[in-house]
Amino acid sequence: MQLLLKSIFTCALFVIFVYATAQSLLKVQETEARQAYLNVTSSSSSNLSQDDVHFLSRRLRQATAGEEGEEGAPSQMDDELEQMTKVHAEAPDAEELRECSEGLVLPLWMPQRNISVGDRLVRGFVYFVLLIYLFVGVSIIADRFMAAIEAITSIERAVVVKGPNNTKQVMHVRIWNETVANLTLMALGSSAPEILLSVIEIYAKDFESGDLGPGTIVGSAAYNLFMIIAVCMIWIPAGEVRRIRHLRVFFVTALFSVFAYVWLWLILSVFTPGVILVWEAIVTLLFFPLTVLWAYIAERRLLVYKYMDKNYRVNKRGTVVAGEHDQVEMDAEKGPKQPMVTSARGNDAEAFDEARREYITLLTELRQKYPDADLEQLEMMAQEQVLARSSKSRAFYRIQATRKMVGSGNLMRKIQERAHSDLTEVKAQLHAGDDEEADDPIRMYFEPGHYTVMENCGEFEVRVVRRGDISTYASVEYETQDGTASAGTDFVGRKGLLSFPPGVDEQRFRIEVIDDDVFEEDECFYIRLFNPSEGVKLAVPMIATVMILDDDHAGIFAFTDSVFEITESVGRFELKVMRYSGARGTVIVPYWTENDTATESKDYEGARGELVFENNESEKFIDLFILEESSYEKDVSFKVHIGEPRLAPDDELAAKIKEVEKKPVQDLTELDRILLLSKPRNGELTTAYVRIRESQEFKATVDKLVAKANVSAVLGTSSWKEQFKDALTVIPADESEFDNDDEEEEVPSCFSYVSHFICLFWKVLFAFVPPTDICGGYVTFVVSIFVIGVITAIIGDAASYFGCALNIKDSVTAILFVALGTSIPDTFASMIAAKHDEGADNCIGNVTGSNAVNVFLGIGLAWTIAAVYHSSHGMTFNVEPGTIGFAVALFCGEALIAIMLIMFRRWHKGIGAELGGPKVSKYISAAILVFLWVFYVVICILEAYDVIRV
């Protein structure tokens, strides 16, 4: 479909070119014939006044238009020619046969006199091809310019906002307001060629007015308002609609876009016809900041807007946002009515929270779609989709369209690369502390720092490790210290020196435990490291704890703690059950799980079973499986219980206890009492709460990725190497989305290769422009606008030579060829925005805003410079209304019709949106807009050639 539209635009442009060329060359032939006739009849002539020459020219035009067909007209014209035999044979009328004047940059194609029709046709074709190539070049460098603007407007500042529980959170928000950015730098970026052409033409004509600059601006405005919106209406996929979100801003820009041309008509034809005064030019220029300020006030609901009706609603993600009354009604039509509230959190905090919730939602959807993928893969895929679905500026769609047309691929591929680099960078930041230990000094410590041994173990081994630089000799001393266990009674005290030769990173020594037959509680003692050698640092744990368990008791069973906090990403969690105050015999301990705030089979897998502690075994683990949902603020818990422990039926101690239990109490001996006391029993902690919380690493990852989810970053470049690589590489301009993972990777098409090699000169040339990462994009901004100015000056010269060679007026060249050439990239940018954006602001709102800015800034700046220049020299700045004044008046009337049509579609119940909607209605609306543009162009051409006289 897109290729078809490109073909239609190309064919239409070619047909217009052929028709205009044929008509102009016909006039050239007629003019040359009349010139030859004048040369014959003026052998005894002398000079005529300028008024006489102009009168003769008008009479000849009337004769050409058909007056000679009337009876007696030829003889009347002969009489006039005989009376006006004073005209110079070598000086044809300038209006009849233009002779090109030297341009500002582009050399003039000589000679200029006695040119044949075939020569003129060849020159016109060459200039036409040159214009197209220059339009491609200025489009490419304009996108580099817009990438710089995007980098500038993406500058962020840190703000502190309050969270849901009044917790403070540091966030980064853009300094530039979106509306202000779109109406200033973004409008300047997309309209830079038209604006600069108007200013350069003033300078090139010695501060006199021309038709090329203003004509391009007016013609571009008509094409943008009628054709771009018409194409976008039918480009929306079937069954979908696009509505303007910032309706107040659209009203302001639409009002100013119409007022701009009304004002232009007033100062051209009403206030001081044919003369532009200094105050008129300055006021025109000042309307530009006024438009921006008014749109900002409307968008921020300042001044009078804050008293207007404002509703709050809860959007589809559960976020409280301010909405317009009609938007709330639209939401009510689409689904159940959302609850209304009376206040909302700060816009910055809400935007960040909404982006974070969107990331979590995407991650959950991807987990369901790819259950076997690991978390890091899912995080990267989610980041790709967040970047792909995030709100995009006009610059993104403009650059995307240009890259596809010139064979530089799809920006979606850069989004994939950006998502991968973002995730890699975030992970590296989170794990930066893990690699910092390599620079630390030599460290020594126990590993592990806690030992549990049985009283009958005899000896056990203690391990000391060295970390850091192990290429040198090191040593450390150790000694045992009493705790509840005493040296000489419960263990054998020991003291010594551990030596670490070069290359050795651990040493071991043994401690002896003393066994006795006396029932005792669990006891402990300590081993400490001290007096390390020079350059060695003792690290935690520098003291090891040794727990001695009595082996004459079956033991007491309990959890090590009452609450365990785990992350949902842990997967399998081992919950430890300890056996202390004895480890004799085989003991069976039942266990089971119970819901608390967590739900079985949703947050965790239920568990039930028995733990079997073998003789002298002091700990066992309950395997708990946590179901990961990757929730950002998850905080749920469940319980794990252990039941009454019992000795195994075949255990020797169990048989002895049964025999003792059969004896009368008075017959029990001391050993029998000790034996009864050795039965297994539960301790105090028989219930443990397992609290499932979000992973801190996952939370930090989400926060950092959301903060980095700025799609403007993919528009810029970081190095000249990257720019030259992009310039020399052909990338397929595919339209695939990220969820089409089964599709094979596409290869560049033939069209991509042809476009690439045609535009290779521009790509390589503009690769020398500094990357946007230098000085925040400001260097790129300055260099790009300079290059745009140079190419625009060449376009102005080429367009003037093109019209001169084919005898086409500058006003017609501007409205037809130059306006279309500068607007084609915006057409495809709007088409991409219409398809992928959720709203119509980037399709319609930017059109009206750009039209207003073009007049106020493009014409206002150029005419202010010229008016001030003439005023300083005691002269007036004269601007002949001519075709431009007529085109402005005609455009104003048609613009009102177009805006009323757009608003009718929005408020019509059967359509309900500016773009898309029912097939019949959108094609009828598009046909009306296309007719308005065709009518506008035809009428302007007819008026320019005096077919229609106003």
Side-chain angles (χ1 to χ4, degrees):
M1 182 64 181
Q2 187 170 354
L3 182 61
L4 176 62
L5 287 175
K6 290 179 182 179
S7 303
I8 292 174
F9 276 115
T10 304
C11 293
L13 195 61
F14 182 74
V15 169
I16 294 174
F17 164 71
V18 172
Y19 175 77
T21 301
Q23 293 297 319
S24 299
L25 291 178
L26 181 62
K27 285 185 175 293
V28 170
Q29 287 181 311
E30 294 173 352
T31 302
E32 289 178 346
R34 289 196 301 271
Q35 179 62 40
Y37 181 75
L38 288 174
N39 288 338
V40 173
T41 57
S42 59
S43 56
S44 60
S45 63
S46 59
N47 289 333
L48 285 176
S49 66
Q50 287 296 108
D51 293 338
D52 292 335
V53 172
H54 180 70
F55 175 75
L56 175 61
S57 172
R58 297 292 292 183
R59 293 298 297 161
L60 288 175
R61 285 202 301 272
Q62 292 171 4
T64 305
E67 291 183 8
E68 67 273 22
E70 298 176 6
E71 185 178 353
S75 60
Q76 183 180 0
M77 186 176 69
D78 292 339
D79 294 339
E80 292 178 356
L81 290 173
E82 291 176 2
Q83 296 174 5
M84 300 178 179
T85 56
K86 297 180 181 181
V87 67
H88 285 295
E90 69 273 16
D93 186 5
E95 285 188 77
E96 295 301 324
L97 188 58
R98 292 177 57 187
E99 184 173 314
C100 304
S101 57
E102 189 72 30
L104 185 64
V105 179
L106 192 65
L108 186 61
W109 190 338
M110 302 301 292
Q112 286 294 309
R113 295 178 179 272
N114 301 321
I115 305 174
S116 66
V117 174
D119 193 3
R120 288 180 178 275
L121 183 60
V122 170
R123 292 189 183 191
F125 179 75
V126 171
Y127 284 129
F128 181 72
V129 173
L130 177 61
L131 274 175
I132 294 177
Y133 198 63
L134 289 171
F135 287 144
V136 173
V138 79
S139 177
I140 296 174
I141 187 61
D143 291 340
R144 296 297 308 278
F145 181 55
M146 295 191 75
I149 291 173
E150 186 76 10
I152 294 171
T153 56
S154 298
I155 297 175
E156 298 177 337
R157 59 186 174 90
V159 297
V160 179
V161 297
K162 289 185 177 181
N165 300 321
N166 290 326
T167 57
K168 291 185 178 180
Q169 183 179 7
V170 179
M171 292 170 42
H172 295 273
V173 297
R174 290 192 177 188
I175 295 176
W176 282 76
N177 175 269
E178 181 183 1
T179 299
V180 174
N182 283 337
L183 287 178
T184 52
L185 295 182
M186 288 301 172
L188 177 62
S190 61
S191 304
E194 295 100 317
I195 295 172
L196 289 176
L197 180 61
S198 179
V199 175
I200 291 172
E201 185 186 33
I202 287 291
Y203 174 78
K205 291 184 174 295
D206 295 327
F207 300 96
E208 296 294 339
S209 66
D211 290 334
L212 202 59
T216 299
I217 289 177
V218 178
S220 176
Y223 180 86
N224 291 347
L225 185 60
F226 304 138
M227 290 301 296
I228 289 183
I229 296 179
V231 171
C232 290
M233 278 185 183
I234 62 176
W235 188 247
I236 303 297
E240 297 183 15
V241 296
R242 301 289 187 270
R243 288 171 56 88
I244 296 175
R245 290 180 171 182
H246 302 288
L247 190 59
R248 296 184 304 276
V249 176
F250 169 74
F251 282 149
V252 172
T253 56
L255 174 64
F256 273 97
S257 66
V258 176
F259 171 74
Y261 292 92
V262 172
W263 171 258
L264 202 59
W265 174 74
L266 289 175
I267 61 177
L268 277 173
S269 305
V270 178
F271 293 159
T272 52
V275 177
I276 301 298
L277 302 179
V278 174
W279 73 267
E280 293 175 334
I282 292 177
V283 170
T284 303
L285 182 61
L286 291 179
F287 277 130
F288 168 64
L290 179 62
T291 305
V292 176
L293 178 61
W294 196 347
Y296 173 76
I297 291 173
E299 192 264 340
R300 300 295 293 178
R301 283 192 174 275
L302 303 176
L303 300 179
V304 66
Y305 289 98
K306 68 181 180 180
Y307 300 107
M308 294 183 178
D309 177 39
K310 182 166 72 171
N311 298 291
Y312 288 98
R313 61 188 176 88
V314 181
N315 69 4
K316 63 182 180 181
R317 296 186 178 89
T319 305
V320 178
V321 295
E324 298 172 14
H325 181 69
D326 61 298
Q327 180 62 45
V328 177
E329 291 178 351
M330 280 293 294
D331 291 339
E333 294 174 3
K334 294 178 182 178
K337 189 173 182 180
Q338 303 287 358
M340 307 297 290
V341 295
T342 57
S343 62
R345 291 176 60 204
N347 292 336
D348 296 334
E350 288 298 341
F352 188 83
D353 288 345
E354 184 167 352
R356 188 164 55 192
R357 276 188 286 272
E358 181 178 7
Y359 183 91
I360 299 299
T361 302
L362 283 174
L363 202 60
T364 303
E365 294 173 357
L366 289 170
R367 180 172 296 281
Q368 295 173 353
K369 189 174 182 180
Y370 306 100
D372 297 331
D374 58 34
L375 180 60
E376 187 167 333
Q377 289 177 317
L378 296 175
E379 286 174 339
M380 187 180 72
M381 294 169 67
Q383 182 71 354
E384 290 178 10
Q385 295 203 17
V386 166
L387 286 171
R389 298 182 186 182
S390 61
S391 178
K392 300 175 183 64
S393 66
R394 179 71 176 181
F396 178 89
Y397 294 114
R398 171 67 186 260
I399 295 174
Q400 172 78 323
T402 302
R403 288 178 69 91
K404 289 185 177 183
M405 287 191 293
V406 301
S408 293
N410 197 325
L411 281 177
M412 296 302 177
R413 294 179 179 270
K414 293 197 70 175
I415 286 180
Q416 290 178 321
E417 298 172 1
R418 178 71 187 186
H420 184 269
S421 65
D422 283 349
L423 185 60
T424 303
E425 182 180 346
V426 167
K427 294 295 185 183
Q429 292 175 356
L430 294 177
H431 297 96
D434 298 341
D435 301 327
E436 293 176 356
E437 297 180 355
D439 299 329
D440 291 344
I442 302 172
R443 305 181 313 282
M444 289 186 181
Y445 52 89
F446 289 104
E447 189 178 81
H450 189 281
Y451 295 85
T452 301
V453 298
M454 303 305 300
E455 189 179 53
N456 63 353
C457 70
E459 289 184 340
F460 68 95
E461 194 172 62
V462 180
R463 181 168 175 257
V464 178
V465 298
R466 172 172 68 160
R467 295 292 181 261
D469 185 9
I470 62 173
S471 63
T472 60
Y473 176 85
S475 64
V476 66
E477 295 185 54
Y478 69 92
E479 66 175 359
T480 59
Q481 292 181 339
D482 290 350
T484 55
S486 302
T489 303
D490 300 305
F491 67 95
V492 178
R494 188 171 179 182
K495 182 177 182 180
L497 176 69
L498 296 176
S499 298
F500 292 79
V504 176
D505 61 354
E506 70 173 50
Q507 289 288 5
R508 305 183 183 213
F509 60 92
R510 302 184 71 83
I511 301 292
E512 182 181 351
V513 178
I514 300 174
D515 190 13
D516 57 35
D517 295 329
V518 179
F519 173 73
E520 298 173 312
E521 295 289 340
D522 294 343
E523 298 174 315
C524 66
F525 67 95
Y526 308 99
I527 312 171
R528 75 180 184 96
L529 299 176
F530 67 99
N531 194 23
S533 59
E534 185 177 355
V536 177
K537 178 183 178 182
L538 295 180
V540 177
M542 65 183 69
I543 298 177
T545 302
V546 182
M547 180 70 67
I548 302 176
L549 302 182
D550 184 74
D551 60 346
D552 300 318
H553 192 285
I556 300 174
F557 299 85
F559 293 110
T560 57
D561 202 349
S562 59
V563 178
F564 296 86
E565 288 195 3
I566 61 174
T567 62
E568 63 171 347
S569 60
V570 70
R572 176 172 172 262
F573 174 63
E574 294 180 338
L575 181 61
K576 182 187 291 187
V577 179
M578 289 296 301
R579 179 186 194 181
Y580 56 92
S581 296
R584 181 180 176 184
T586 302
V587 180
I588 299 173
V589 181
Y591 68 88
W592 65 93
T593 58
E594 180 186 353
N595 286 347
D596 187 30
T597 54
T599 305
E600 183 179 337
S601 300
K602 179 179 181 295
D603 299 308
Y604 70 98
E605 291 184 5
R608 179 178 293 272
E610 293 179 335
L611 298 176
V612 179
F613 286 79
E614 300 294 341
N615 188 44
N616 291 333
E617 193 171 18
S618 60
E619 61 183 32
K620 291 292 266 186
F621 296 92
I622 300 174
D623 288 337
L624 301 174
F625 293 92
I626 309 303
L627 302 179
E628 186 178 0
E629 295 179 314
S630 298
S631 298
Y632 183 81
E633 295 179 344
K634 189 171 188 175
D635 188 359
V636 294
S637 62
F638 63 96
K639 303 174 187 177
V640 182
H641 305 279
I642 57 174
E644 193 67 28
R646 66 184 187 277
L647 287 165
D650 57 349
D651 187 78
E652 180 184 354
L653 182 60
K656 291 180 179 181
I657 292 176
K658 287 182 178 180
E659 291 180 2
V660 172
E661 287 178 341
K662 294 178 181 179
K663 294 182 180 181
V665 177
Q666 61 273 16
D667 294 338
L668 294 176
T669 64
E670 186 65 26
L671 291 177
D672 292 338
R673 291 187 177 92
I674 292 175
L675 190 61
L676 289 175
L677 290 174
S678 66
K679 290 183 0 180
R681 65 180 187 272
N682 279 333
E684 294 181 359
L685 300 176
T686 58
T687 298
Y689 284 83
V690 181
R691 186 179 184 186
I692 308 173
R693 305 193 68 179
E694 79 282 350
S695 167
Q696 292 300 318
E697 178 177 345
F698 174 74
K699 183 175 181 180
T701 301
V702 172
D703 285 347
K704 290 181 179 293
L705 287 177
V706 170
K708 285 178 172 289
N710 183 1
V711 74
S712 62
V714 304
L715 303 182
T717 52
S718 57
S719 65
W720 272 285
K721 178 181 177 181
E722 178 186 353
Q723 293 182 172
F724 279 101
K725 181 181 177 181
D726 290 343
L728 297 172
T729 305
V730 185
I731 304 174
D734 61 280
E735 292 284 351
S736 61
E737 301 292 335
F738 291 112
D739 51 0
N740 296 335
D741 299 295
D742 297 332
E743 294 184 359
E744 296 182 359
E745 185 176 356
E746 296 186 15
V747 296
S749 63
C750 180
F751 177 79
S752 296
Y753 277 109
V754 172
S755 300
H756 170 74
F757 287 110
I758 290 176
C759 305
L760 186 60
F761 168 76
W762 295 121
K763 291 170 147 184
V764 175
L765 178 64
F766 299 147
F768 288 96
V769 176
T772 55
D773 280 7
I774 298 178
C775 299
Y778 286 99
V779 177
T780 313
F781 180 92
V782 174
V783 174
S784 298
I785 200 170
F786 172 77
V787 176
I788 291 173
V790 173
I791 299 178
T792 302
I794 300 175
I795 288 176
D797 292 345
S800 180
Y801 295 163
F802 167 75
C804 179
L806 300 180
N807 203 38
I808 301 175
K809 289 191 174 184
D810 280 348
S811 58
V812 177
T813 302
I815 291 175
L816 267 182
F817 301 105
V818 184
L820 261 66
T822 57
S823 299
I824 291 298
D826 286 322
T827 303
F828 295 110
S830 296
M831 290 164 58
I832 297 173
K835 185 175 181 180
H836 295 287
D837 251 12
E838 294 183 359
D841 298 78
N842 272 322
C843 306
I844 299 178
N846 278 281
V847 166
T848 55
S850 178
N851 286 351
V853 170
N854 281 356
V855 172
F856 295 144
L857 188 58
I859 296 181
L861 180 61
W863 285 1
T864 298
I865 294 172
V868 171
Y869 174 84
H870 283 83
S871 178
S872 64
H873 288 76
M875 300 181 295
T876 59
F877 176 48
N878 299 319
V879 179
E880 181 64 30
T883 302
I884 300 301
F886 175 78
V888 166
L890 179 62
F891 173 76
C892 290
E894 292 193 352
L896 290 174
I897 297 174
I899 293 174
M900 286 190 292
L901 174 64
I902 292 171
M903 289 298 97
F904 170 79
R905 288 178 51 82
R906 180 184 180 91
W907 288 316
H908 189 276
K909 292 183 179 180
I911 304 175
E914 292 83 356
L915 303 179
K919 185 175 182 180
V920 175
S921 64
K922 71 180 181 181
Y923 274 97
I924 291 176
S925 301
I928 293 174
L929 293 176
V930 172
F931 170 77
L932 290 176
W933 182 72
V934 173
F935 181 79
Y936 168 82
V937 171
V938 171
I939 296 300
C940 286
I941 293 176
L942 293 178
E943 194 280 333
Y945 288 104
D946 293 328
V947 177
I948 297 177
R949 301 177 185 274
V950 180

